[in-house]
């Protein structure tokens, strides 16, 4: 990958994705996200070696949404270790990210930490020892990016006002003993966490430890043990794109996490962290243009792990 001019590759990707604008639509079940112009596109790549390149709207903040689940899971694993896996599994769900019947059939134990039920179980676990998990996630993300990150309170309120399915999930888990706190408090904390705003450039920098064996060249500190970093990347590859994870791996071939704000982060282990944003989503809740951009990037650079 170092043989290429990353800036030139991104410029070519920006041209190659143009025919795919107009496909999909923003997340209309969260009113604040539905109003984001669907023609936005940004992409950033940060190499472990220090090189950085961006294209398009890469410095415009957007709602990170489920990408924050990486930060919260990393915090929980650093704090609780394997105790995390007593509340949540490590398997792909094969169902939508807010599916209820699978959770009920499996006695309230979420399949993995990247679906909504799993992320709320992680949030509940953080609430055992931290007063304000969303502020913790915000601070951690900003620390890793080397810049302050903010929570968009309007997005958080919009999301909470429409979080009926998440309330049902939280209540089911409370009834089964998966979570310990008041379901409404867990849902409120989860919605605030998801309302984190970051840019592609900030996200690429923040995800760099997953590409560098747990070390952050941005803050010059080890964030995760190398063994944990490998496991996080494995979970991203198998569970990060919900029920379209197989087709995403087939097309892109990188560990990745999507969010319904239109962002996707992807990791090239040992080499780079990539972030892309375009708000229009496919039926699985993943950015249409963002997926194409990553597919073209891996084709041009031959950096797929598969």
């Amino acid at each position: 990958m170092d043989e290429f001019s990353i800036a030139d590759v991104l410029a070519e990707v920006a041209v190659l994705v143009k025919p795919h604008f107009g496909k999909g639509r923003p997340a209309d079940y969260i009113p604040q996200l539905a109003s984001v112009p669907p023609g936005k596109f940004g992409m950033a790549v940060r190499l472990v070696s220090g090189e950085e390149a961006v294209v398009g709207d890469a410095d415009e903040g957007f709602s990170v949404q489920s990408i924050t689940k990486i930060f919260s899971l990393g915090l929980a694993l650093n704090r609780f270790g394997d105790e995390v896996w007593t509340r949540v599994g490590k398997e792909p769900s094969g169902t939508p990210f807010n599916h209820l019947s699978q959770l009920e059939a499996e006695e309230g134990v979420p399949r993995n930490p990247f679906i909504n039920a799993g992320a709320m179980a992680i949030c509940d676990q953080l609430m055992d020892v931290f007063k304000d998990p969303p502020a913790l996630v915000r601070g951690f993300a900003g620390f890793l990016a080397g810049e302050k990150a903010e929570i968009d309170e309007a997005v958080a309120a919009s999301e909470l006002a429409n979080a009926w399915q998440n309330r049902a999930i939280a209540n089911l888990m409370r009834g089964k003993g998966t979570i310990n706190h008041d379901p409404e408090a867990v849902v409120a904390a989860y919605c605030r966490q998801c309302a984190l705003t970051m840019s592609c450039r900030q996200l690429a920098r923040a995800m760099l430890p997953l590409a560098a064996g747990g070390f952050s060249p941005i803050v010059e500190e080890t964030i995760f043990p190398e063994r944990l970093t490998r496991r996080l990347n494995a979970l991203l590859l198998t569970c990060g794109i919900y029920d379209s994870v197989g087709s995403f791996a087939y097309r892109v071939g990188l560990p990745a996490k999507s969010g319904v704000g239109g962002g996707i982060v992807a990791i090239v282990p040992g080499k780079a962290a990539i972030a892309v944003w375009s708000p229009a989503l496919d039926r699985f809740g993943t950015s249409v243009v963002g997926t194409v951009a990553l597919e073209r990037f891996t084709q041009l650079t031959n950096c797929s792990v598969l």
Side-chain angles (χ1 to χ4, degrees):
M1 191 165 150
D2 297 323
E3 311 168 8
F4 301 89
S5 164
I6 300 302
D8 289 344
V9 172
L10 290 188
E12 186 168 352
V13 168
V15 173
L16 293 172
V17 300
K18 285 183 178 179
H20 298 275
F21 285 97
K23 301 176 183 179
R25 62 182 186 181
D28 54 10
Y29 58 90
I30 302 174
Q32 284 289 322
L33 299 187
S35 62
V36 178
K40 291 286 186 180
F41 170 72
M43 192 168 184
V45 177
R46 178 72 181 226
L47 301 186
V48 171
S49 62
E51 183 182 348
E52 185 174 83
V54 301
V55 71
D57 302 307
D59 287 310
E60 181 172 337
F62 63 92
S63 191
V64 176
Q65 292 293 313
S66 285
I67 295 172
T68 61
K69 295 171 183 176
I70 302 174
F71 300 125
S72 59
L73 177 61
L75 285 163
L77 286 169
N78 267 350
R79 176 63 174 80
F80 301 107
D82 286 344
E83 185 185 335
V84 167
W85 308 121
T86 65
R87 299 202 193 194
V88 62
K90 312 180 194 73
E91 301 297 330
S93 66
T95 56
F97 54 80
N98 60 355
H99 205 57
L100 192 61
S101 60
Q102 182 183 66
L103 182 67
E104 185 173 20
E106 297 181 354
E107 296 299 313
V109 179
R111 277 286 180 97
N112 65 71
F114 294 142
I115 56 175
N116 289 13
M120 283 190 278
I122 297 297
C123 186
D124 178 79
Q125 193 169 32
L126 290 174
M127 290 171 73
D128 287 345
V129 292
F130 298 107
K131 182 178 180 181
D132 189 352
L136 181 71
V137 169
R138 179 194 64 201
F140 186 46
F143 169 71
L144 293 179
E147 296 180 14
K148 189 176 181 181
E150 297 292 349
I151 290 173
D152 188 324
E153 298 296 348
V155 172
S158 178
E159 195 160 350
L160 184 60
N162 294 277
W164 307 115
Q165 187 84 351
N166 284 336
R167 288 183 171 92
I169 290 169
N171 277 284
L172 174 58
M173 289 197 295
R174 183 68 181 90
K176 297 292 185 179
T178 306
I179 64 173
N180 300 321
H181 297 89
D182 174 59
E184 186 64 27
V186 174
V187 172
Y190 171 69
C191 289
R192 286 199 75 240
Q193 170 188 309
C194 287
L196 185 71
T197 294
M198 296 179 75
S199 68
C200 289
R201 190 191 299 266
Q202 291 172 327
L203 274 174
R205 292 176 177 179
M207 294 297 164
L208 204 54
L210 295 182
F215 179 77
S216 169
I218 302 295
V219 299
E220 298 185 333
E221 288 187 25
T222 297
I223 306 302
F224 305 118
E226 188 174 358
R227 181 166 170 255
L228 174 56
T229 304
R230 290 197 305 271
R231 290 181 166 183
L232 285 168
N233 281 329
L235 286 166
L236 289 172
L237 185 64
T238 57
C239 305
I241 313 289
Y242 307 125
D243 46 330
S244 65
V245 67
S247 61
F248 186 91
Y250 182 86
R251 293 174 61 185
V252 177
L254 294 175
K257 183 74 196 81
S258 60
V260 297
I264 309 175
V265 294
I267 305 300
V268 186
K271 293 188 178 292
I274 308 165
V276 61
W277 170 53
S278 185
L281 311 177
D282 63 19
R283 63 190 180 93
F284 301 108
T286 300
S287 172
V288 173
V289 171
T291 300
V292 174
L294 288 168
E295 182 180 20
R296 298 293 181 261
F297 183 88
T298 56
Q299 289 170 348
L300 291 167
T301 60
N302 194 32
C303 67
S304 168
V305 299
L306 302 176

